[in-house]
Amino acid sequence: MGSMTRRQNWTFLTNHARVLVTIARDPAVRLRDVAVTCALTERTVQTIVADLESDGYLQRVRDGRRNRYEISAGAVFRHPAEAGVQVAGLLALLTGAPAASRDRVPDPEPDVPVALVPAADTYGDTASPETDGLVAAEPVASPLPTA
């Protein structure tokens, strides 16, 4: 076998993801600044924002002379490998923002830990994209002493 050339020009995120993350960090950001942050042309960013808008990932809202962007709640990834997984989790991870409370399984009572267990059937009635295949089990006894 011949020697393999190591490619160093790939990244984990697409330009669309990078633009969406930048907008999530600052919803009032100018597209010119998004272009600088993402190392893209302004025209490319405009095209990406138009794609994200037309596919329902964000909405442009006029705020005086400027635009403000709102990320769509509940938007899911397009690729079948991530089917049903919400984009909000990735945005929360990459922006450092807490995930939306509606994306979490709520505690039945304050200060009562809940164990998350795999759902019986990922595509059945017990699981949903919001729980990522996990369902809340019965509250578990806390290993910590109570006051």
Side-chain angles (χ1 to χ4, degrees):
M1 308 254 170
S3 68
M4 293 183 54
T5 305
R6 187 169 176 178
R7 292 181 10 172
Q8 306 243 347
N9 61 347
W10 66 275
T11 62
F12 279 104
L13 298 178
T14 66
N15 289 338
H16 281 67
R18 209 170 278 113
V19 167
L20 192 61
V21 167
T22 303
I23 290 171
R25 287 181 178 145
D26 179 8
V29 69
R30 296 179 308 170
L31 294 187
R32 165 180 321 160
D33 298 328
V34 174
V36 170
T37 300
C38 297
L40 299 168
T41 66
E42 193 171 343
R43 181 68 187 133
T44 298
V45 170
Q46 290 170 348
T47 301
I48 289 171
V49 167
D51 288 347
L52 293 170
E53 253 187 308
S54 68
D55 288 342
Y57 288 92
L58 59 84
Q59 294 87 38
R60 186 183 332 221
V61 177
R62 231 22 212 168
D63 187 13
R65 294 178 54 194
R66 301 205 38 190
N67 289 321
R68 182 169 187 78
Y69 300 92
E70 296 176 358
I71 307 294
S72 301
V76 295
F77 289 103
R78 294 173 46 156
H79 196 278
E82 296 88 30
V85 177
Q86 291 189 0
V87 174
L90 177 67
L91 293 177
L93 176 71
L94 295 176
T95 62
S101 60
R102 63 172 181 67
D103 294 336
R104 296 188 207 132
V105 176
D107 287 341
E109 299 174 31
D111 302 321
V112 177
V114 174
L116 293 179
V117 296
D121 177 8
T122 304
Y123 300 104
D125 295 332
T126 59
S128 69
E130 292 79 21
T131 60
D132 292 332
L134 299 175
V135 293
E138 294 296 318
V140 294
S142 174
L144 301 174
T146 56

